[in-house]
Amino acid sequence: MKRISIKDIAREAGVVPSTVSAVLNGKSKQMRISDALSEKIRAIATRLGYQPNSTAVSLRTGKTNVIGLIVEDISNTFFATLAKFIQDEAYSMGYKVVFCSTENSDEKGIELIRMLLQSQVDGFLITPTNGMHAEVAKLQALKKPVVFMDRFIEELEKVPYAIVDNYNGVINGMDHLYEKGYNTIAFLSVELEQVQMKQREQAYFNSIAKNKKGPPLLFRIPYDLPTGESVQRIQDFLQANPGIDALFCATNYLGLKGLESIKSLGLSIPNDMAIVCFDDHDIFRLYDPGITSVQQPIESIATTATQLLLKMINKKELEPQEMINLKSASLIVRAST
Amino acid sequence: MKRISIKDIAREAGVVPSTVSAVLNGKSKQMRISDALSEKIRAIATRLGYQPNSTAVSLRTGKTNVIGLIVEDISNTFFATLAKFIQDEAYSMGYKVVFCSTENSDEKGIELIRMLLQSQVDGFLITPTNGMHAEVAKLQALKKPVVFMDRFIEELEKVPYAIVDNYNGVINGMDHLYEKGYNTIAFLSVELEQVQMKQREQAYFNSIAKNKKGPPLLFRIPYDLPTGESVQRIQDFLQANPGIDALFCATNYLGLKGLESIKSLGLSIPNDMAIVCFDDHDIFRLYDPGITSVQQPIESIATTATQLLLKMINKKELEPQEMINLKSASLIVRAST
DNA sequence: CTGAAAGCGCTTACAG
DNA sequence: CTGAAAGCGCTTACAG
């Protein structure tokens, strides 16, 4: 059972391969091939079960219809979900997706970019780390389309990205709390030099200032502390600032999922204290009935990024405002019961 | 910045392209090309930053070094973890992985197989559904290597698979409970016509018989019941059979994670009752200190399947016993506290 | 030791 | 309207 090629069809139809190619690519009109002949060729193709060999097509056209997806770790729910939506979008447009994980290693990221480049992917979807800077710059020099997701590299201004809107996400969350009547909102952050964290903290400060609720109560804990230690520090912080009636977590690295998980961590908070988590990595953490505002940024990040990339691949001009694409933040709000 | 080809190197080195090809493919010795010349060519290649065009290689050699991964849903933790291990194994052997999700739809599965076939993947890694039967048979006719994971299709005897060992997993779990002194073990199963469920139930019956502990206490609940309803039925069942001192769940579809989650479901069980879950889909559910036996079948399934597939792709003969590859089950045991 | 040629399966100008 | 030819970038017999 040998795979049949365009030649086989041509022989069967008594024409030359290029005619078959034209018909099968819907160029019968331009080539002024008669409808009768076109129909005959198509019939033969389906009868023989013709499947074009896409490596041949790729070699000839320079397009593989494959996009490369580089994430930190595909087994992580966030990236896996991202991958799912990307895949859906890509397949619906006739593209395949090859994925790989960097394991947060710059060298591995660079190696993977090279590898995907060599296999001629049409474009890249990347959750970048700063270490990828130079390699991505090379991709740009080669005019390979790249879109960042979830994060971006500040120096690479020409690379479009789809991320959650850190600044406005926090502003919205703060507004929500003020509306609910909370007045002394503390901001719990993590000692990380990430753009995201800076943006979120900045939004907190600005919100406090704008609403004249100062002074700000920012508390930072190291990223790599054991959970128990983190909980202890938060506890101490709350103790030292008894006026606090709401806690805004800049990230959900403690894995808060509602009252139950807060208790199981051993964190004791007043019954009427509100807790809000800025959580862009997990859309499934909906336990409490008090949640008021939830969006699904993963889906919009994935879909937006993929669409952007496919436009670039197909040489469509991007609208200027498409170059930087901010998406709303997801927000998990637990109102006091 | 144009990509440079083998021709460019040849021109630079003053030789013909085939010589370059031979050198770069490590065939200098066979082609009796002098070490000096080989070195010179290699130097030029690295200086110009040569990257072979893999679509050209694929067209010529008929190999793409890509394997197709078809799972039910890549965003599901089980499949995502599987994907991760597959990717690790594949990349270390120089293969890329393109993935897609069937969403449990037979039509989609068939379509995806066709699509991957057309893009010339070297082999398939599939978590199959029965509806894929015919399509996978076609792959076999085309001599395309296929390995099943997690599930298999009984009629397709020639397709190797890597799955958890349902039968022995349950036997081991039962033995464990008997050793711990439990005597009246109920088996909680789900109304599903899956091979896995049948195997697990069979193991339960056989274990009861072998250990002369009868009569068996099998309780089945419909798969699609709301959680609350399921819990109620289990509760009723336990009430009606007060002698039960251990509950063996054939699957963890209730998402049991230990005592806490059992309580939060509203399931009230005697303090000295043991609960065992046969859980092959989630290796992270390790809450209780009483867990005695945990393995990581996802990793072995992924690695075994990938290695098997790569052997087949590279035309290595499989040992007869490799054709069917059973892996031990993961087991989460909560002993009474 | 090295070079010239064919060919993988397609598409795309181009010539009639 | 249709066909002949070139070529995408490689590798692989084969000839010297």
Side-chain angles (χ1 to χ4, degrees), chain B residues 11-24:
Chain B
R11 198 179 325 109
E12 190 88 3
V15 296
V16 89
S18 36
T19 309
V20 177
S21 170
V23 170
L24 264 27

Side-chain angles (χ1 to χ4, degrees), chain A residues 139-302:
Chain A
L139 291 182
Q140 291 208 278
L142 289 167
K143 306 235 182 282
K144 273 286 174 191
V146 182
V147 172
F148 288 148
M149 296 173 304
D150 185 48
R151 296 185 286 232
F152 61 98
I153 298 178
E154 284 188 84
E155 296 86 348
L156 263 23
E157 293 168 358
K158 292 298 189 57
V159 180
Y161 52 80
I163 59 168
V164 297
D165 187 343
N166 292 291
Y167 187 89
N168 287 310
V170 170
I171 294 285
N172 291 343
M174 293 291 286
D175 284 348
H176 174 81
L177 289 173
Y178 288 135
E179 272 165 35
K180 289 275 180 183
Y182 297 97
N183 273 302
T184 312
I185 310 175
F187 199 75
L188 179 61
S189 181
V190 165
E191 284 175 11
L192 264 184
E193 287 311 301
Q194 291 182 337
V195 196
Q196 295 102 296
M197 282 304 145
K198 286 186 217 157
Q199 291 171 333
R200 292 175 197 178
E201 290 179 4
Q202 193 55 53
Y204 171 70
F205 285 123
N206 291 2
S207 174
I208 291 280
K210 190 187 71 187
N211 292 281
K212 304 201 173 59
K213 302 282 188 178
L217 291 159
L218 173 68
F219 186 59
R220 281 194 182 142
I221 42 183
Y223 180 67
D224 48 1
L225 233 45
T227 307
E229 175 74 5
S230 302
V231 168
Q232 189 54 52
R233 293 209 189 177
I234 296 170
Q235 201 73 74
D236 293 348
F237 170 71
L238 291 177
Q239 212 109 46
N241 298 276
I244 294 172
D245 57 10
L247 188 61
F248 198 127
C249 307
T251 177
N252 192 7
Y253 80 112
L254 286 176
L256 301 182
K257 297 177 180 184
L259 247 191
E260 200 191 333
S261 75
I262 290 170
K263 280 186 187 147
S264 80
L265 278 176
L267 189 60
S268 91
I269 54 165
N271 254 340
D272 54 353
M273 180 180 282
I275 294 192
V276 172
C277 272
F278 194 107
D279 185 351
D280 53 14
H281 275 205
D282 192 337
I283 58 176
F284 304 114
R285 288 183 175 145
L286 318 181
Y287 284 72
D288 288 70
I291 291 160
T292 59
S293 156
V294 174
Q295 291 166 29
Q296 304 202 347
I298 300 191
E299 178 163 5
S300 29
I301 289 177

Side-chain angles (χ1 to χ4, degrees), chain B residues 169-198:
Chain B
V170 171
I171 294 285
N172 292 341
M174 293 291 287
D175 284 348
H176 175 79
L177 290 173
Y178 288 136
E179 273 165 34
K180 289 277 180 182
Y182 297 95
N183 273 301
T184 313
I185 309 175
F187 198 74
L188 179 62
S189 181
V190 165
E191 285 175 8
L192 264 186
E193 287 310 303
Q194 291 181 338
V195 196
Q196 295 102 297
M197 282 304 146
K198 287 187 215 157

Side-chain angles (χ1 to χ4, degrees), chain A residues 122-135:
Chain A
D122 291 338
F124 292 81
L125 245 26
I126 304 179
T127 59
T129 55
N130 280 318
M132 292 180 178
H133 188 153
E135 209 60 24

Side-chain angles (χ1 to χ4, degrees), chain A residues 5-6 18 21 27 50 60:
Chain A
S5 82
I6 218 173
S18 36
S21 169
K27 303 204 173 152
Y50 171 69
R60 182 60 232 240

Side-chain angles (χ1 to χ4, degrees), chain A residues 51-118:
Chain A
Q51 303 268 82
N53 177 326
S54 50
T55 64
V57 176
S58 298
L59 178 57
R60 182 60 232 240
T61 63
K63 277 205 55 182
T64 53
N65 282 291
V66 173
I67 65 185
L69 169 64
I70 300 181
V71 297
E72 195 181 307
D73 175 7
I74 190 70
S75 69
N76 173 305
T77 303
F78 173 65
F79 298 112
T81 307
L82 206 55
K84 172 71 172 314
F85 288 121
I86 289 168
Q87 166 215 270
D88 286 347
E89 189 66 26
Y91 279 80
S92 77
M93 307 286 282
Y95 283 77
K96 277 140 282 165
V97 182
V98 343
F99 68 93
C100 30
S101 312
T102 61
E103 319 285 349
N104 230 336
S105 141
D106 286 338
E107 306 89 73
K108 189 137 187 229
I110 290 167
E111 187 194 319
L112 291 171
I113 289 178
R114 294 218 177 115
M115 178 172 180
L116 292 180
L117 184 62
Q118 178 167 340

